[in-house]
């Protein structure tokens, strides 16, 4: 008979935004330190509840001169994070130091908050 696996392929419906699915996507797209980046997304979006997350599919608060980037699917923001943020990463650099060095967030305690979430994952 027909191969039914192509009919129930997960790719046909957009992947739901969950911690598990996001972590899988981070690994799939070659994100370095996926656990820390996962924690950043949780912090940036208030556990995926923020307006920027829900309206723009933007998990990392990525901005351009006129405001936040908007994506068709949240997974696109994972690729954008890799291409717009992680390309600046230097080999063997501590990732928290990296986030501070590039001035990722304005909040003084941003890195401490990210660390705290990582410890709970």
């Amino acid at each position: 008979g027909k191969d039914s696996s192509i009919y129930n392929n997960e790719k046909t419906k957009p992947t739901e935004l969950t911690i598990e699915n996001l972590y899988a996507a981070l690994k799939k797209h070659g994100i370095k330190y996926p656990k820390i980046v996962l924690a950043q997304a949780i912090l940036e979006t208030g556990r995926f509840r923020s307006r920027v997350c829900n309206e723009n599919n933007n998990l990392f608060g990525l901005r351009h001169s006129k405001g936040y980037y908007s994506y068709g699917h949240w997974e696109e923001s994972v690729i954008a994070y890799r291409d717009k943020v992680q390309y600046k990463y230097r080999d063997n650099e501590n990732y928290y130091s990296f986030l501070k060095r590039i001035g990722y967030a304005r909040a003084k305690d941003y890195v401490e908050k990210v660390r705290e979430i990582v410890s709970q994952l």
Side-chain angles (χ1 to χ4, degrees):
K2 284 202 180 105
D3 178 7
S4 64
S5 66
I6 58 165
Y7 295 105
N8 55 28
N9 186 337
E10 280 299 304
K11 290 206 169 31
T12 52
K13 65 179 197 314
T15 316
E16 190 193 344
L17 179 52
T18 64
I19 284 177
E20 294 72 23
N21 289 343
L22 174 53
Y23 190 64
L26 291 168
K27 287 166 82 166
K28 178 176 119 184
H29 293 293
I31 298 289
K32 297 177 178 88
Y33 300 96
K35 219 169 185 179
I36 297 175
V37 178
L38 174 63
Q40 285 186 271
I42 291 168
L43 177 57
E44 291 282 342
T45 63
R47 292 215 168 248
F48 313 140
R49 287 191 296 260
S50 75
R51 191 181 55 76
V52 172
C53 174
N54 293 309
E55 291 178 15
N56 298 21
N57 290 307
N58 184 334
L59 299 183
F60 301 101
L62 297 173
R63 305 175 70 113
H64 50 79
S65 58
K66 293 184 171 61
Y68 289 101
Y69 282 102
S70 219
Y71 303 101
H73 186 274
W74 61 263
E75 196 168 335
E76 291 172 39
S77 78
V78 170
I79 296 164
Y81 180 94
R82 182 192 67 200
D83 297 346
K84 293 184 193 312
V85 178
Q86 284 204 336
Y87 79 92
K88 300 174 190 165
Y89 177 77
R90 297 174 186 150
D91 284 345
N92 303 320
E93 186 175 14
N94 175 292
Y95 203 74
Y96 297 111
S97 303
F98 162 70
L99 293 174
K100 282 184 175 163
R101 174 173 67 79
I102 65 169
Y104 186 85
R106 288 197 191 94
K108 288 268 177 282
D109 58 350
Y110 180 79
V111 166
E112 285 64 42
K113 284 182 173 158
V114 172
R115 248 185 232 275
E116 199 175 306
I117 294 168
V118 169
S119 72
Q120 294 160 8
L121 289 172

